[in-house]
Amino acid sequence: MCYAFGPPVMKLFSNMQEYVSLKDVPTPYEVKEQIIPPEHVLRLQPFFMLRLVRRIIFEHIPDMNKILLIKARCPILRFYSKDYNVFCDFSCESKNSIRNTMLLRLLGYMDPRFPTLTKIIRYWGKYGGFVGDIEMFNSYAFSLLVVHFLQTRNPPILPPIKELASKSEYLQQVALEDTERMFEDLKQFPPSKNCKTVEELLREFFFHYLTYDFTRIMQPSTSSSIPLSNYVPDNNSPTDKFEVNTLNIQDPFRPNFNVTAGPNYKYCKYFLNNLLQVCMAYQNNFFGNPKTDRWGLNLVFNEPISETRMHKEWQDCHSHTIEILPEPDVASKLEKIFKHVLLFNCVACHIPPKECTDSKTLLKLHCKVYNNTWHGRDWAAEIYKNNNNLSPLELEHLISKELVSKSNDRRSLVSEFICELKENHETKLTLHLNFMESKPPILAVFLKEFIPCTLKIF
């Protein structure tokens, strides 16, 4: 049964009083000819039932591209057909799947921006080749990625799932059809005071996760995240084991289950690389120009490209520019941002006498970066959110100090670049960043967002 939002769910073989044990999985022929009694088939153990379904698929759809049987407390048969563009997680007697669908449905009615944003993000992942197939991210994982993002906005758009579950009889009863109860539950939650549009949130989503600290476990149940080292297994679910991956999202109803345990490293890299591609596209001057062949959301959806090609593009991308609005003492403010706010090790360079050029140099710094102070600024900011005595600039400084204090390696050179602020004859200011290494330009993309915003809070 399909709903306006949320994965399709079909409830099968429920309320069985006891399972029937067989020596082997019956064949489709044995079932069809009733060599195995129908009442026994209906009472097969879930794992045997899925093996039977797998045999039926192999027999009737021999060209099925991929099929995988996942052993777990609740076994899953995952299959994919390229010809029909069908991806399915098939399970028996799984209350978890039903409850997950109910959760997404409830959140969708709570704030209409959630389903709209999630559908776009899911499509982005499927188009980019890292959502939807075996060993890729599944749609539910990407839904929770959006949930966690919306929970951590200021002000929040969605509440913690633990709070939602404690107040919602709809979720507690696991009654999918009880829409009347669902709408009654929704009355307990006032609309979010966050008025950002889906378009604004979509852009923010990509930049948020570009600099997210993925060494942490996202916890939609509490709208927070914790370091991997702080994870404590839940003794109430001893059969589950939290499998650490490149991305880690704790299931809001099963604390020992990592929703993103499935995708392999290749597809995690696709996800991270696509984040960078999209953020660079947003900063492209063509993004809002309808006169170009590709503009707007067209630039967001990119087909997967090889690592070799991507690294080749990054090698050719050493120089970056940031347009700066003219204001008093802008050179000294920029120097303070690099040295005091971001804690970069910067040395002022000699500026030669004015030559016959169309611009003059107002500031030149040689910056060496020994600590990554751009990944994880969101969680570090949570530490100081209740301290109203801090100025915005001092808050950013303390966030960087917190990140440095948590760094495991403080001696390795992370990045090195020359920074020049130039003014042309029209008094337009441009900040030039020339990097000395061939790395993914995450720092450059971050600075293009961070510097203009920080200049506004001086």
Side-chain angles (χ1 to χ4, degrees):
M1 184 175 294
C2 293
Y3 293 96
F5 181 70
V9 170
M10 183 165 58
K11 191 174 181 181
L12 299 178
F13 320 124
S14 61
N15 300 320
M16 293 296 116
Q17 294 181 353
E18 59 182 65
Y19 295 121
V20 171
S21 297
L22 300 177
K23 291 183 178 180
D24 197 4
V25 180
T27 65
Y29 175 80
E30 291 173 330
V31 173
K32 183 178 179 181
E33 298 299 323
Q34 297 190 10
I35 298 172
I36 304 294
E39 60 271 19
H40 286 189
V41 175
L42 288 174
R43 291 163 58 193
L44 285 174
Q45 293 178 350
F47 190 65
F48 268 50
M49 181 65 74
L50 294 184
R51 290 175 66 186
L52 170 60
V53 173
R54 182 173 63 176
R55 284 187 170 185
I56 294 171
I57 292 174
F58 277 138
E59 182 171 309
H60 292 278
I61 315 175
D63 59 343
M64 181 67 69
N65 298 86
K66 296 179 181 179
I67 186 164
L68 178 68
L69 182 56
I70 302 172
K71 288 185 177 181
R73 185 176 64 177
C74 177
I76 295 173
L77 185 67
R78 178 171 292 174
F79 52 89
Y80 172 72
S81 171
K82 187 176 182 180
D83 293 338
Y84 299 101
N85 192 26
V86 171
F87 175 82
C88 181
D89 277 351
F90 189 96
S91 62
C92 301
E93 301 188 38
S94 173
K95 283 190 176 182
N96 292 321
S97 299
I98 297 172
R99 188 164 48 184
N100 293 346
T101 298
M102 292 171 64
L103 171 64
L104 298 184
R105 189 182 188 193
L106 188 63
L107 293 174
Y109 280 108
M110 182 174 290
D111 194 298
R113 290 171 293 183
F114 169 63
T116 305
L117 186 62
T118 303
K119 287 174 183 177
I120 296 173
I121 295 299
R122 283 180 178 179
Y123 184 75
W124 166 69
K126 289 179 180 179
Y127 195 83
F130 47 90
V131 170
D133 199 350
I134 293 172
E135 296 185 333
M136 296 183 183
F137 294 93
N138 59 41
S139 294
Y140 181 62
F142 256 51
S143 298
L144 289 185
L145 206 63
V146 177
V147 169
H148 183 70
F149 165 72
L150 294 178
Q151 288 174 332
T152 53
R153 299 308 86 206
N154 186 19
I157 294 175
L158 295 178
I161 304 304
K162 183 179 288 187
E163 176 189 341
L164 187 63
S166 67
K167 295 180 179 180
S168 171
E169 292 186 20
Y170 173 69
L171 287 180
Q172 293 168 11
Q173 295 173 2
V174 196
L176 190 63
E177 305 294 341
D178 194 356
T179 54
E180 184 177 344
R181 170 53 56 194
M182 180 187 71
F183 287 114
E184 281 297 315
D185 289 346
L186 286 170
K187 294 177 182 178
Q188 303 178 65
F189 300 92
S192 170
K193 295 180 180 179
N194 191 314
C195 298
K196 288 188 176 180
T197 64
V198 171
E199 185 178 9
E200 291 171 320
L201 291 170
L202 180 64
R203 186 185 196 279
E204 202 171 307
F205 172 91
F206 293 117
F207 283 95
H208 171 74
Y209 282 115
L210 178 69
T211 56
Y212 192 85
D213 182 0
F214 287 109
T215 64
R216 300 175 69 85
I217 300 174
M218 299 179 220
Q219 296 182 308
S221 60
T222 57
S223 301
S224 62
S225 66
I226 59 169
L228 283 168
S229 57
N230 288 9
Y231 170 73
V232 178
D234 184 1
N235 294 328
N236 294 323
S237 304
T239 56
D240 281 339
K241 181 182 178 181
F242 195 91
E243 298 180 27
V244 175
N245 201 354
T246 307
L247 276 71
N248 301 283
I249 306 177
Q250 187 181 51
D251 190 291
F253 301 115
R254 300 163 61 192
N256 291 349
F257 181 65
N258 181 7
V259 180
T260 49
N264 63 28
Y265 181 71
K266 170 185 173 181
Y267 296 114
C268 290
K269 284 289 290 182
Y270 275 8
F271 165 66
L272 298 173
N273 290 341
N274 265 266
L275 279 175
L276 179 55
Q277 279 186 287
V278 172
C279 290
M280 292 176 71
Y282 267 110
Q283 293 178 341
N284 192 318
N285 292 331
F286 298 124
F287 193 88
N289 185 2
K291 295 181 180 180
T292 57
D293 292 336
R294 290 190 68 199
W295 67 285
L297 282 181
N298 272 334
L299 293 173
V300 170
F301 300 108
N302 297 295
E303 294 182 355
I305 62 175
S306 67
E307 287 280 317
T308 304
R309 178 183 163 189
M310 189 167 289
H311 282 283
K312 178 66 171 63
E313 292 179 0
W314 291 338
Q315 287 174 1
D316 299 333
C317 193
H318 290 275
S319 299
H320 303 266
T321 59
I322 306 173
E323 298 300 321
I324 303 294
L325 294 176
E327 59 179 273
D329 300 321
V330 66
S332 61
K333 291 177 181 178
L334 284 170
E335 187 170 2
K336 189 172 184 179
I337 289 174
F338 286 117
K339 291 182 176 181
H340 178 71
V341 175
L342 292 173
L343 303 180
F344 292 173
N345 187 350
C346 298
V347 177
C349 299
H350 172 68
I351 300 176
K354 185 177 179 181
E355 300 174 358
C356 297
T357 61
D358 293 333
S359 63
K360 66 176 180 178
T361 302
L362 304 180
L363 174 71
K364 187 173 183 179
L365 299 173
H366 182 183
C367 298
K368 292 185 178 181
V369 184
Y370 292 96
N371 293 283
N372 188 324
T373 54
W374 52 96
H375 276 114
R377 296 189 72 84
D378 54 333
W379 69 258
E382 287 293 306
I383 299 172
Y384 305 100
K385 68 178 181 180
N386 295 323
N387 192 334
N388 299 321
N389 297 323
L390 294 172
S391 68
L393 208 63
E394 193 60 25
L395 172 62
E396 296 296 340
H397 168 70
L398 290 175
I399 290 172
S400 296
K401 284 189 68 175
E402 181 66 25
L403 292 171
V404 171
S405 70
K406 301 297 183 183
S407 175
N408 295 324
D409 186 1
R410 304 183 189 182
R411 296 183 179 180
S412 299
L413 185 65
V414 178
S415 183
E416 185 176 4
F417 62 93
I418 299 294
C419 161
E420 290 185 90
L421 177 65
K422 294 188 176 184
E423 180 184 47
N424 65 13
H425 64 282
E426 297 176 348
T427 68
K428 288 185 177 180
L429 299 177
T430 305
L431 187 65
H432 297 261
L433 305 174
N434 296 298
F435 288 82
M436 300 181 183
E437 68 273 348
S438 297
K439 289 182 178 180
I442 296 175
L443 176 55
V445 172
F446 164 77
L447 291 174
K448 286 183 181 182
E449 296 293 305
F450 185 80
I451 288 176
C453 292
T454 308
L455 283 172
K456 293 177 182 178
I457 64 177
F458 265 90

